Amino acid sequence: MGLFSGKKGMILGVANDYSIAWSITEKLAAEGAELGFTHLPGEKMERRVRKAIDPIGPKLLVPCDVQKDEDIAAAFAKAKETFGTLDFVLHSIAFAPIEDLKAPFVRASRDGFKLAMDISVYSLVSVARHAAELMPNGGSIVTMTYYGGEKVVPGYNLMGVCKAALDASVKYLAYDLGPKNIRVNAVSAGPVKTLAASAVGDFDKLSGLYEAIAPMQRNVTREEVGSSGMFLLSDLARGISGEILHVDCGYHAMGSPGHAFEKALEQQAAD
Ligand code: NAP
């Protein structure tokens, strides 16, 4: 018997087998979950997602552009047909136009801001609303966030402001859905090499920052992020809601460069 035997859930945000949603999917599947997935509309997108998820025998794969409420409604209607009810939903989606993402935040365009907020933040609200209708016995909803929404991480720019709004949305949704025994949480992951991460900037530089500054002196692995996502979706986390769980080797706890600073001082003394 796995942790997820008899449990059914929808996963939004597998692009390929580098996606964080895939790392979490692998853990859920290994624990016996029955899973449905969405893909961005289009044959090419469908093929790409199908290639990633085929090994685990998905119960459902449906198109869904989260900018469209009718797509979200149709995806959850299909989930109802397939599963009847749901126990959990993973929302692992973000987008900002590349020119707005790369620019200093002060130069973010109005249209870029609206689009990034719509896809990266409002989508969680709409997904949670539709998911809740299929969770008569309670459930767990998890989204993916990043520390750049709490503090300035140079280069994260507009997406940092989106993540701040996403973090607040997690807490308000947790409040609204709590009486229905539906938990809403976020995993705040350290840098993981994915399609979306490649748009944000130099992955090796960001990962190096974690090796230098995080208490554990390394960056997180995708497998560790997968386990933590699975944990929050599971009954093991049944008392946890409105939480932003940092899975970043302790980086978020630092208020100074710590070990990196000590090493710099030692180097200075040796020179
Ligand atoms: P990813 O594999 O590129 O996943 C992003 C997903 O969002 C893709 O499946 C993408 O679909 C989907 N998406 C974008 N616009 C959409 C729309 N309008 N409708 C439906 N789906 C849409 O990258 P990832 O790094 O795993 O990102 C997943 C989440 O983790 C994001 O919220 C990201 O901010 C967060 N996160 C990532 C890191 C990291 O270092 N990678 C760290 C912390 C948090 P297509 O690819 O088909 O466009």
Side-chain angles (χ1 to χ4, degrees):
M1 271 279 280
L3 258 183
F4 280 83
S5 296
K7 304 261 186 205
K8 297 159 287 184
M10 287 294 288
I11 309 282
L12 290 79
V14 173
N16 54 35
D17 55 11
Y18 284 90
S19 297
I20 288 178
W22 175 248
S23 304
I24 299 174
T25 293
E26 280 189 303
K27 299 287 176 191
L28 293 167
E31 292 292 339
E34 288 181 45
L35 299 169
F37 296 83
T38 62
H39 66 84
L40 261 177
E43 272 179 34
K44 199 174 143 204
M45 303 299 192
E46 181 179 355
R47 265 201 310 280
R48 199 178 61 179
V49 177
R50 197 175 283 288
K51 193 172 157 208
I53 64 176
D54 257 357
I56 58 126
K59 293 278 181 289
L60 175 68
L61 175 61
V62 281
C64 179
D65 178 347
V66 294
Q67 279 187 272
K68 298 181 181 151
D69 275 328
E70 61 273 24
D71 275 24
I72 297 175
F76 280 93
K78 282 276 179 202
K80 187 176 181 184
E81 260 175 54
T82 307
F83 296 119
T85 58
L86 289 175
D87 299 290
F88 62 91
V89 169
L90 174 66
H91 169 280
S92 186
I93 284 174
F95 178 82
I98 195 75
E99 56 281 10
D100 289 294
L101 194 58
K102 295 275 184 205
F105 178 61
V106 68
R107 295 222 305 266
S109 70
R110 189 180 296 271
D111 285 347
F113 185 96
K114 283 188 196 163
L115 183 61
M117 282 283 180
D118 186 20
I119 297 178
S120 313
V121 186
Y122 184 74
S123 64
L124 175 68
V125 184
S126 180
V127 163
R129 191 163 58 238
H130 286 89
E133 287 173 19
L134 302 188
M135 294 177 165
N137 308 314
S140 175
I141 299 172
V142 167
T143 188
M144 294 302 308
T145 189
Y146 180 62
Y147 186 60
E150 295 171 58
K151 301 281 178 191
V152 174
V153 176
Y156 206 56
N157 306 329
L158 172 58
M159 193 47 71
V161 176
C162 289
K163 291 306 191 193
L166 184 73
D167 293 358
S169 304
V170 163
K171 294 170 192 166
Y172 278 90
L173 289 169
Y175 177 74
D176 287 350
L177 299 177
K180 297 181 168 170
N181 198 28
I182 297 172
R183 304 180 291 105
V184 186
N185 293 292
V187 170
S188 179
V192 178
K193 211 169 194 165
T194 63
L195 269 184
S198 63
V200 171
D202 184 341
F203 177 84
D204 292 335
K205 214 162 120 190
L206 198 56
S207 181
L209 197 64
Y210 281 68
E211 286 157 30
I213 294 175
M216 293 169 75
Q217 304 224 267
R218 66 173 177 85
N219 188 19
V220 76
T221 66
R222 60 179 72 244
E223 192 269 335
E224 288 165 340
V225 175
S227 296
S228 304
M230 187 264 280
F231 161 72
L232 278 181
L233 288 169
S234 81
D235 285 347
L236 291 179
R238 59 191 175 279
I240 302 176
S241 195
E243 185 67 277
I244 311 293
L245 179 66
H246 295 88
V247 185
D248 62 357
C249 297
Y251 183 90
H252 70 284
M254 297 303 296
S256 92
H259 299 301
F261 186 58
E262 284 158 27
K263 279 185 190 153
L265 288 180
E266 280 167 24
Q267 187 63 46
Q268 228 174 45
D271 288 344

